[in-house]
Amino acid sequence: EDDDDETYHYQNEDGVAASSPSDEKIVTCRGNLIVPVGEAKALRHLLDDLEDHFGHQRDDPNVRFNLNELRHVQNDSLCGDLSFDYLIDDEVCSLDYIGIDVCIDLTPKRIIHTDNDYGGNAFEDYGKSWAYVYVPELTMDKIKSYVKAGTGWDASDEGTVYDANRNLVAIETQMQQGPRPEPSFWEASNPSKVGENVQFSRIGSVQHVGSQPSQQGTHRGVAFFTVSLEASGSSQDRMASLTFTLISVRTWECTNLIAPIIHSPRK
């Protein structure tokens, strides 16, 4: 049966056709990985058109958060993945991703034990398995309100660092490492066209870009995440922590307006 009208052609962000369902996790609207048309429409809407993402002075995203089935994990905790329903042209399209205006910090981190300790030991896994992304406090509050409305759970501050001086929240985003698909890093071909029909080019994975000294700064852009929720199995207050896993980021330029975190207060 001919079902061409039910599908759209995609490839993964490494530029090759995906060969397994796991490869469908990172896609772009070009190529030949076949996915349901509703998902293709949502991917184009979110990743290409940069619509319905959370950000400062943006309209509230037209998206509903859903909590997939909770499962028991170690230490009697409960864990579940979130999915997201986007209303696009009066059609509900589901995705595993949300987009957020962020600044991603690719500055290497060192452990500083005292005020005079400027050397310190480097966090070897920073920029490889995790990194900080900075969002305004109001943006984080908005995301939490969507979590509450869609799942009934209150999101805690675990996994974040609040900077009261700048009203910013630093999220400790997780990143996959090879051989699993690493998050992709896209750069605007003309940063002056922010807000217009700007074009982006993929220049490598976040890990690859962050290893280059010329790129070790704070980059402003839109990042895309999967989100999971974890709570104590005995939790009576419906309080849960969120884990953000970076999938891809579109960036315009490095910014000097946000000072990077020098060290991790929690690790």
Side-chain angles (χ1 to χ4, degrees), residues 136-225:
E137 181 186 19
L138 291 176
T139 299
M140 193 65 197
D141 288 344
K142 178 66 67 175
I143 294 170
K144 288 181 178 180
S145 73
Y146 274 63
V147 172
K148 176 69 172 179
T151 71
W153 289 83
D154 289 302
S156 71
D157 295 327
E158 185 176 347
T160 65
V161 180
Y162 175 58
D163 185 339
N165 293 323
R166 300 180 294 175
N167 292 323
L168 286 178
V169 176
I171 301 172
E172 298 176 6
T173 183
Q174 304 300 302
M175 299 192 297
Q176 290 185 164
Q177 300 182 77
R180 304 177 68 186
E182 295 181 336
S184 59
F185 191 102
W186 296 65
E187 192 172 63
S189 56
N190 188 344
S192 64
K193 289 187 176 181
V194 173
E196 302 178 21
N197 188 24
V198 62
Q199 299 295 313
F200 295 89
S201 299
R202 187 183 188 278
I203 61 173
S205 69
V206 173
Q207 288 91 334
H208 170 72
V209 173
S211 69
Q212 302 175 44
S214 62
Q215 297 280 11
Q216 291 176 349
T218 302
H219 299 257
R220 182 169 60 92
V222 182
F224 305 95
F225 304 89

Side-chain angles (χ1 to χ4, degrees), residues 93-155:
C93 303
S94 296
L95 273 185
D96 293 334
Y97 321 119
I98 58 168
I100 309 173
D101 281 344
V102 304
C103 287
I104 180 169
D105 183 359
L106 299 183
T107 308
K109 303 297 172 215
R110 294 183 179 276
I111 304 171
I112 297 178
H113 302 288
T114 68
D115 291 340
N116 296 321
D117 181 8
Y118 297 107
N121 297 319
F123 286 111
E124 296 295 339
D125 57 346
Y126 188 82
K128 298 176 182 176
S129 64
W130 71 282
Y132 284 123
V133 296
Y134 305 130
V135 300
E137 181 186 19
L138 291 176
T139 299
M140 193 65 197
D141 288 344
K142 178 66 67 175
I143 294 170
K144 288 181 178 180
S145 73
Y146 274 63
V147 172
K148 176 69 172 179
T151 71
W153 289 83
D154 289 302

Side-chain angles (χ1 to χ4, degrees), residues 230-250:
E230 184 172 348
S232 168
S234 59
S235 176
Q236 301 297 320
D237 56 3
R238 304 287 291 179
M239 182 68 70
S241 62
L242 301 178
T243 298
F244 293 81
T245 300
L246 184 64
I247 297 299
S248 184
V249 60
R250 271 59 168 166

